[in-house]
Amino acid sequence: MSTATKHNTPIIPKREDALRAARALLAVKYPDAVGAFAAGSIIRGSGTVHSDLDLVVFFEKRAQARRESYLHQGLPVEAFLHDPETFRYFNEELDGKDGIPMLAHMVTTGVPVPEPCPLLERVRSQAADFLSRGPRALTADEVLRRRYGLTDLVEDLRAPRTPDEARAISTEFYNALADYWFRSGGLWSA
């Protein structure tokens, strides 16, 4: 599957093409995998010419989790290789602390490839449970540190040296404020 026509005009990858690519990758690149979840904007139907195919690939057992980025017939692929235990660890110990549940979101919204199976259903249930609990609450020190960061940005914004610096500070402030608002309310951030 290519993301360009013969005249090199970019095209938006189609969902069915991405699912076909995911099935082919599982068979050829990950033959020991139990299955995967194909996720992301292409699968949701909102892909662009620059979108990649996200794959969360599951094995019965892995020594460690791994992330791979590559092109498959012109389609960018971001693959996250896990077993149920490494998946749990990434949710609870990393994404849960950051408040950004990337992997769990991909699993709960993704399409099982090649088809649903007990292991995929188990990790999907685990991901849904994780998401329903919400993120770990911010500690008092984290709240103070984030508030300090926000007021520091406001001070920088009061007297920026250039318009470009003002835009950069505003962008950083917007992201930090949105993250603080969600997390202080016990909600997942993004």
Side-chain angles (χ1 to χ4, degrees):
M1 179 175 113
S2 175
T3 57
T5 66
K6 70 179 188 175
H7 299 291
N8 209 23
T9 304
I11 59 170
I12 298 172
K14 292 182 174 65
R15 183 178 198 263
E16 284 310 311
D17 293 337
L19 288 171
R20 243 187 316 282
R23 288 190 282 278
L25 284 167
L26 273 178
V28 175
K29 191 165 176 70
Y30 309 112
D32 296 338
V34 174
F37 290 96
S41 60
I42 297 171
I43 301 301
R44 287 191 308 269
S46 60
T48 71
V49 296
H50 302 290
S51 294
D52 65 356
L53 169 62
D54 295 310
L55 280 179
V56 186
V57 183
F58 283 96
F59 300 81
E60 287 288 343
K61 188 71 179 149
R62 283 193 59 85
Q64 63 186 23
R66 181 176 165 89
R67 180 177 172 177
E68 299 178 340
S69 299
Y70 52 88
L71 287 176
H72 173 75
Q73 298 177 357
L75 176 67
V77 177
E78 191 82 24
F80 304 87
L81 313 181
H82 284 276
D83 66 17
E85 185 55 32
T86 62
F87 180 67
R88 186 210 57 78
Y89 175 81
F90 268 74
N91 285 330
E92 301 292 339
E93 302 300 324
L94 301 176
D95 291 354
K97 289 180 181 172
D98 291 345
I100 302 172
M102 180 188 70
L103 281 174
H105 180 72
M106 284 192 285
V107 166
T108 58
T109 62
V111 175
V113 175
E115 58 190 31
C117 69
L119 187 140
L120 293 181
E121 292 304 318
R122 188 169 77 237
V123 293
R124 178 172 264 172
S125 176
Q126 177 185 344
D129 179 60
F130 170 71
L131 290 173
S132 72
R133 291 192 315 258
R136 173 186 59 79
L138 295 174
T139 67
D141 283 344
E142 289 171 324
V143 168
L144 290 175
R145 195 173 26 242
R146 287 172 186 240
R147 285 181 178 171
Y148 175 81
L150 288 168
T151 58
D152 193 44
L153 288 167
V154 167
E155 287 300 314
D156 289 344
L157 194 55
R158 288 176 64 186
R161 290 181 284 274
T162 67
D164 288 340
E165 185 179 53
R167 278 188 288 281
I169 294 167
S170 297
T171 301
E172 178 65 24
F173 178 74
Y174 175 81
N175 289 330
L177 182 61
D179 183 63
Y180 178 73
W181 186 85
F182 283 113
R183 292 299 309 281
S184 65
L187 302 170
W188 291 109
S189 192

